[in-house]
Structure formats: C-alpha cells, structure tokens
Amino acid sequence: MRKLRLYNTETRKKETLQPHDGTRTVRIYSCGPTLYQQAHIGNMRAYVFADTLNRTLRLFDYRPKHVINFTDVGHLTDDADAGEDKVEKQAKQENMDAKTITKKNGKIFLADLKKLHIATKRYRFPWATQHIQEQIAIVRELEKKGYTYEIDDGVYFDTQAYRSYGKLGLSAVDEKTSQARVQEVAGKKHFCDFALWKKTPAGVSRQQEWDSPWGRGFPGWHIECSAMAMKILGETIDIHTGGVDHITVHHNNEIAQSEAMTEKPFAKIWMHTAFLTVQNEKLSKSLGNTYTIADLEDRGFDPVALRLLFLQSSYRTPASFSFESLGAAQTALDRLRRDYERIPRPVTSLLQRSRDRRYTDAIDKAIANDLNTPQVLAVMHDIIKDTTLAPAVKRNTVRYADQVLGILGSKKKKRQNVPAAVLQLAKERDVARSQKAYDKADAIRKEIDDLGYDVADTETGTSVTKRVSV
Ligand code: AMP
Ligand code: ZN
C-alpha cells in the first residue's frame, strides 16, 4: 500500500497518513473564505493546496470527505474579539443587505474554484449562518463543563481552565500587548480567551443576529468551524487545513473548544499553506494589490496559469506574486498543453490504459513526500521529452501526473477534438489492417488525412491527432 507523508504543524514533522477510522475515508476540513469581499489570489493559494491534497488522496485510493466552509458571519476585523464583524461592516459601508453580499461572494468563489480546475462537486460548502443552533449547543456544553465565563460582551472560552491550550504553539506576545488585548474587552480574563458568543449591545440591532440562552447576538468565528467540522465530519477528523495566519489563534481556539467538549482529539494532522505576498507585502486593499481571479482574466491570463504558478513551489514555502512570474507560468502552461496535444491520440487499443511504471512511481514518490508538486511537474516534463515512449503510454502517463496537478484540461473537452466520424474511420482502418487489407487501410488513412488529422501507427493501433499548424 502506498504511504502518504504529510507535514503536521502540530508535531512539526512529516507523518504517515492513517485515517482514524481504519477505512479509506479521509475526513478533511479546510477553513473557508470570509465572504465580506471577493476572495483574492492569496486565498486561492490555500484552496489550490487543499485541492492538491484532495487529488492526491484520490490518486492513492483514499476517499476524501472534504469540507470547505463559508464564513458569512462572526469573523471580526481583529483577532482579539474587538472590532467589527467583517460582513456587517461591509454591509454598512456598501449600504447593502449582508446576505446579498455573502451570497454574491460565495457564488463568485465557487466559479473561481472551477476556473482553477477545482471540481466543486468533490467538496461540501456549509454556511456558518445555517449552523447557528449547532454552535449554540457546543457553547452550552462547554458552559456545563466549566470552560466558559459570561461577561457583558458575550460568552468567552476560559483558556486558563483548559490545560492544554495552545497545542499548535503560541505566538510570542509581550506584556504590553497582552494587557492591551485583555483591556479591549471589559471583563476578559486572559488575552488568549476568545469569544464563543458575542452579545448584541442594548439599543443596537444587527443585520445578522440570533436568539440564544445568553441573549441576542452572533457566534464567534472559531466556534463556527468546530461546529461545521464536527457536524459533517464527526468529532475527530483526519486533516485540517488553512493558511499559516490561522495557526496561533483560530486553530488553537478550534482545538481547545472542540477537545474540551468531546475529550477526543479534534484533528490528527494540521496542514498550513504559506502566504502569498506581492513584492514582499501582505495582500491588502489599501496597498491595491489584492488581485482577484477576475483581475487576472481581465489582463488576459488563464486562471490555471495561477494554479501552475502555485504548484511550481512547495505549499510550505512563502511565495511572491508578480505579473512577470504569472506571465512565465502562462507561457509554460501553453507549452505543456501544446506538447501534450501533439502526442498522437490512440483510438482503438488494448493498451489504452497502460502507463510507464518508472514515471508513475516517480510521481507517486514525489507527491507522497508532503505533496512535492514541483517534483511532479519536473517528472511531467521528463515524460513529455521522452522519445522512447509509445504515444498511448506517453499520453496516459502525462495524464497520470495531471490527476494531481490539474493543469491540462478536462478529458471530455479533449475527446471532443476528434469528431466521431474520424474515430470511426480509424477503427475501420484497424480492422482493415488486422485483415491484411492494406490497400483499404491506406485509402482510409488518406481519407483521415484529408479531414485534417495526422495518422500514426502505434502499438495500440491507429492514433489520430488534429494537425497543428506551427
Ligand atoms: P479568510 O477569507 O481571511 O478567512 O481566508 C481564507 C483562507 O485564505 C484562509 O485559509 C487563510 O489562511 C488563507 N489566506 C488568506 N490570505 C492568504 C495569503 N495571502 N496567502 C495564502 N493564504 C491566505
Ligand atoms: Zn476555520
């Protein structure tokens, strides 16, 4: 059985994946986008990584059960429970309905994923606002177990009452900052404590608020992820992913509240994508560098070029975005697709599924080593350059690499390139050849040729490719 080694932020080493229920099902939760704005290309790095993980699991005969949530309430502008809810703030600024904003951005997000060759049907996308009761139920349970305290601002998780808080490592915070964080919310006991439920202050009304045992209000961002993960995937999941910015606060908080409630491990492997920067700056609106997929398309790029750009480095290496590097990725993508298209297409064959074992082993080895996509790309180039492979084998082996990379395009589309009439002629030619009717076979070859298709005799029979003008 092929083994998959993945880097676990919690243990700081690569570990062999072993689904906790002993089956081939792998339960994954990837923190989803906060829908106050359109997701930017930095966010997309986190989802191209999640998709690479999903594809790799499938390649290794696992069955991923994969959730990417929609955060449509509760994510504050400040991690220290102060500041406003991002969605509420945006709605006020735009003088719009919060739901209209989140629905619109959710829809764009799904369309963007598809443009990046992320098959959305392989994921579940739950909305935080549709799981309010589940979140309240967890907070009540934590309250019963003595892990919470209630103050005017809301219900807080008491990190001092929970011994193993900070499993993923805490960020160094100096005395002054920690004091300031406590003081930001009256009654907060420790700077690590975090809101499970925020109360709507008297005299204020919010667009998105719900009744709860602690009064009207809204859930904290962290509890949303625990609630949706546990509801859909169960109390223990196999892999949890997010960007590195989530490690010290969001994910430590998810672990604390989930494990305090269930007394079981919450996630076995924690995986985090390094940040995408632009000229060493954080992607931020004020710097005008938060490009979206639409921005890239407006400049004439195929979003898959961005996917390729991400795959050219390890997901754990910080990457810097520039239009020059995207341009280079676009050129490389165009070349790869063209080279692939030029490999003659087998039509009738017993060997249609055969691949070159040396290369597939090399691909398995690379991807099994904590998703080494740059190495898989290198192998893909080697296959394309290899002149000793039979075309059918070559195509299939390139396609095998692409099951993980997802850059070439869909099979369906490619097949449509060869019309049924041409495929029929190729079959007839194979029959003629098998009957040693070579004159007939030659006549058919000419017919195919006249239709604009190149004919090649391969081990697997007649292969036809649309003639490319160079
Ligand atoms: P958010 O919408 O802020 O909740 O983020 C959605 C996902 O994108 C999270 O997993 C973040 O960690 C991740 N993320 C945000 N900005 C970046 C970035 N510049 N590079 C990589 N990942 C990011
Ligand atoms: Zn989350």
Side-chain angles (χ1 to χ4, degrees), residues 29-32 69 71 221-222 224-226 240-241 246 250-251 254:
Y29 187 91
S30 297
C31 285
N69 73 288
T71 298
W221 166 44
H222 318 296
E224 301 176 355
C225 284
S226 289
H240 196 310
T241 83
H246 285 352
H250 183 49
H251 288 166
E254 275 191 50

Side-chain angles (χ1 to χ4, degrees), residues 366-439:
I367 206 69
N369 179 14
D370 197 29
L371 314 183
N372 188 341
T373 51
Q375 186 62 33
V376 178
L377 271 166
V379 179
M380 191 189 240
H381 280 108
D382 288 344
I383 306 165
I384 285 179
K385 273 188 292 181
D386 192 331
T387 50
T388 66
L389 296 176
V393 174
K394 193 166 181 168
R395 278 191 91 85
N396 294 338
T397 316
V398 173
R399 270 230 165 265
Y400 185 80
D402 199 52
Q403 281 180 45
V404 163
L405 301 172
I407 50 179
L408 290 180
S410 75
K411 224 173 181 175
K412 229 167 143 191
K413 247 199 225 152
K414 296 289 172 294
R415 278 214 181 125
Q416 283 162 1
N417 286 347
V418 182
V422 177
L423 294 176
Q424 182 57 31
L425 285 170
K427 275 187 193 154
E428 286 170 18
R429 181 170 179 270
D430 280 346
V431 173
R433 277 163 59 86
S434 69
Q435 294 165 349
K436 299 199 170 21
Y438 295 116
D439 286 349

Side-chain angles (χ1 to χ4, degrees), residues 37 40 276 278 281-291:
Q37 283 175 355
H40 55 62
L276 181 76
V278 176
E281 305 262 22
K282 201 174 170 232
L283 276 87
S284 89
K285 252 204 150 176
S286 53
L287 295 170
N289 63 6
T290 46
Y291 304 112

Side-chain angles (χ1 to χ4, degrees), residues 51-244:
D51 189 57
T52 306
L53 175 63
N54 187 296
R55 285 167 174 268
T56 302
L57 290 167
R58 285 168 191 273
L59 194 76
F60 279 52
D61 300 318
Y62 288 107
R63 285 186 304 272
K65 198 169 171 191
H66 201 151
V67 170
I68 300 175
N69 73 288
F70 280 139
T71 298
D72 54 344
V73 71
H75 193 169
L76 304 185
T77 47
D78 181 297
D79 274 346
D81 301 301
E84 281 182 81
D85 176 319
K86 290 187 182 186
V87 170
E88 198 80 15
K89 184 177 170 196
Q90 192 74 21
K92 249 190 248 158
Q93 268 173 7
E94 290 188 33
N95 199 15
M96 264 175 87
D97 177 44
K99 271 258 165 322
T100 310
I101 293 179
T102 54
K103 280 218 166 120
K104 182 189 84 187
N105 290 329
K107 209 167 151 192
I108 296 172
F109 179 73
L110 294 177
D112 284 350
L113 293 190
K114 286 184 189 147
K115 289 177 185 170
L116 288 164
H117 284 182
I118 298 175
T120 52
K121 62 175 189 302
R122 291 187 179 157
Y123 301 85
R124 300 195 195 181
F125 298 93
W127 295 73
T129 53
Q130 288 171 11
H131 294 83
I132 300 296
Q133 293 316 314
E134 288 84 347
Q135 295 168 56
I136 291 175
I138 299 178
V139 182
R140 291 192 77 160
E141 191 64 26
L142 289 172
E143 194 172 41
K144 265 194 240 155
K145 292 192 165 191
Y147 289 113
T148 66
Y149 57 90
E150 189 177 344
I151 52 179
D152 285 349
D153 182 76
V155 181
Y156 275 71
F157 187 89
D158 186 352
T159 53
Q160 300 306 290
Y162 180 69
R163 279 213 194 137
S164 36
Y165 182 79
K167 277 196 171 167
L168 300 184
L170 298 169
S171 51
V173 174
D174 59 36
E175 189 59 26
K176 220 172 118 200
T177 317
S178 79
Q179 285 297 330
R181 285 207 191 156
V182 172
Q183 282 158 12
E184 271 174 32
V185 179
K188 189 166 161 174
K189 294 202 271 188
H190 188 272
F191 76 91
C192 286
D193 295 353
F194 56 92
L196 296 163
W197 185 265
K198 293 272 283 186
K199 297 179 191 171
T200 305
V204 175
S205 89
R206 291 171 43 95
Q207 285 202 33
Q208 302 197 102
E209 56 180 358
W210 296 264
D211 286 328
S212 82
W214 315 279
R216 264 183 104 61
F218 63 101
W221 166 44
H222 318 296
I223 199 76
E224 301 176 355
C225 284
S226 289
M228 289 183 274
M230 290 202 261
K231 175 167 185 212
I232 303 170
L233 302 172
E235 290 181 339
T236 297
I237 63 178
D238 297 297
I239 307 173
H240 196 310
T241 83
V244 286

